Amino acid sequence: MDNLTVVVPYRDNRRAIEGLLDTLPEGLPLVVVDDCSTVAPPVTALEARPSTRLIRLEERGYFSGAVNAGIAACETDVLVLNQDVRLQGDWWAELEELRGEFACIGDGVMDHPAHPNGYVQGTCMF
């Protein structure tokens, strides 16, 4: 998929992010944003992937701050994934098919009283 970077906010869960890395296509640009972890991300696993950048925040940004830092580091479309997501099936083809039609794709939450039109939560945000 051209013109796409995956952004993953990271905080203290090496095992989870290693599982996610196993489900991402090789060569896909990746930005991992370390949100001041006490357990460092798996640097060796990240360095083994081409087109990977690791950004460490100077102060806690929490999920939204880490996402914003990752997006700011990109010049492409962005797919935000939680560190504990595992992608299965033909997700890649589905995303590619929908990408030209929708500006926001992901794990939708509907019928929320504070968001009557719904919103896309952080599990998978494109």
Side-chain angles (χ1 to χ4, degrees):
M1 184 177 295
D2 293 329
N3 196 38
L4 178 71
T5 302
V6 171
V7 171
V8 179
Y10 173 79
R11 174 86 177 160
D12 293 332
N13 196 339
R14 290 178 67 121
R15 188 171 160 205
I17 198 169
E18 288 171 340
L20 169 61
L21 293 175
D22 290 342
T23 68
L24 293 176
E26 289 294 324
L28 181 64
L30 175 67
V31 174
V32 175
V33 183
D34 182 353
D35 190 19
C36 300
S37 295
T38 57
V39 177
V43 175
T44 304
L46 294 172
E47 288 176 344
R49 295 184 60 90
S51 304
T52 298
R53 288 185 286 168
L54 177 61
I55 298 170
R56 181 167 170 83
L57 298 181
E58 299 276 327
E59 60 184 52
R60 279 296 307 270
Y62 300 89
F63 181 80
S64 60
V67 167
N68 289 340
I71 290 172
C74 297
E75 295 181 7
T76 63
D77 289 345
V78 173
L79 174 63
V80 177
L81 297 173
N82 277 4
Q83 66 188 4
D84 58 354
V85 167
R86 301 293 182 280
L87 301 168
Q88 298 177 342
D90 201 14
W91 67 272
W92 193 252
E94 289 181 43
L95 181 63
E96 183 64 31
E97 184 179 321
L98 295 172
R99 168 176 194 193
E101 189 175 339
F102 297 97
C104 192
I105 301 169
D107 187 7
V109 176
M110 302 305 188
D111 301 320
H112 190 285
H115 303 279
N117 294 324
Y119 67 96
V120 175
Q121 70 173 347
T123 305
C124 172
M125 266 189 305
F126 174 80

